[in-house]
Amino acid sequence: MENPHDLLTPFESKEIIFGHVSEGIKMLEEAKMPQTIIDICAQHHGTTLMKFFYIKAKELDPEVKESDFRYPGPKPQTKEAAVITIADSAEAAVRSMSNPSKKAIEEFIHQLINGRIADGQFDECDISMKELKIVEHSICEGLNGTFHSRIEYPNFKKKTDLKVTE
């Protein structure tokens, strides 16, 4: 399937992708979901940079500001929101990998978490480094279980396809 973002400018793509957070919040509020769930939806990208579209935009206009391609936040305020932000990004990225090997998944998730730490995304919640290691291990295990290589089963013929000889 063709990527719809190939037909859009990076600025248009940014607005569409940013919109999923505000639309999600709106849907959750309309469904009268608990405020804690709504808050996690609002925080699940924190103030992370939408790197891919920022780089594309910078190629078109060197004056583009990084802040224009950062999610509006807020940053995760709870451990639960921190875990969701990691899990959401990890699942989406691994799904887009052409060959999600165990090593590639583990390296990506490790870099993802370290990048979020360096970017200050966990500065407003009380998650510890020890807990982040547990989250990293757990997400790696889950994604490796989901995206592991599967054996190709032989194609057996149905009984009706077999010729019976007597």
Side-chain angles (χ1 to χ4, degrees):
M1 189 166 112
E2 224 176 289
N3 185 340
H5 291 283
D6 291 343
L7 305 172
L8 302 172
T9 70
F11 306 97
E12 292 168 326
S13 292
K14 172 194 78 158
E15 293 304 321
I16 290 168
I17 294 169
F18 278 0
H20 90 274
V21 176
S22 54
E23 286 299 313
I25 292 168
K26 182 179 169 187
M27 290 169 61
L28 292 168
E29 288 173 340
E30 288 171 1
K32 302 198 181 330
M33 294 297 286
Q35 190 60 46
T36 54
I37 302 296
I38 297 168
D39 291 345
I40 287 174
C41 179
Q43 300 164 25
H44 86 278
H45 284 291
T47 59
T48 58
L49 177 64
M50 198 179 295
K51 275 187 204 167
F52 179 79
F53 294 113
Y54 170 64
I55 291 168
K56 285 184 80 166
K58 198 82 167 154
E59 290 169 0
L60 296 172
D61 178 4
E63 301 299 313
V64 168
K65 295 181 287 191
E66 182 180 292
S67 59
D68 292 337
F69 282 81
R70 282 192 173 270
Y71 283 92
K75 293 178 181 178
Q77 304 293 300
T78 63
K79 292 178 185 186
E80 295 83 359
V83 171
I84 296 294
T85 191
I86 297 166
D88 179 63
S89 295
E91 186 275 337
V94 170
R95 186 173 298 281
S96 72
M97 286 181 179
S98 59
N99 182 22
S101 69
K102 184 176 196 264
K103 184 177 182 191
I105 291 171
E106 289 171 353
E107 286 175 358
F108 174 79
I109 295 169
H110 185 74
Q111 290 172 355
L112 170 72
I113 292 171
N114 285 339
R116 297 284 167 94
I117 292 167
D119 194 31
Q121 293 302 311
F122 305 129
D123 290 356
E124 297 178 15
C125 67
D126 63 351
I127 196 163
S128 70
M129 292 301 292
K130 181 178 180 181
E131 290 166 325
L132 285 170
K133 288 287 182 197
I134 293 167
V135 170
E136 179 177 343
H137 176 76
S138 178
I139 291 174
C140 284
E141 289 293 309
L143 290 173
N144 278 319
T146 300
F147 293 100
H148 70 278
S149 301
R150 289 177 163 63
I151 62 168
E152 194 170 319
Y153 291 98
N155 194 2
F156 291 107
K157 292 185 176 191
K158 294 180 196 172
K159 266 188 168 180
T160 57
D161 293 341
L162 298 175
K163 292 183 180 177
V164 178
T165 57
E166 291 183 35

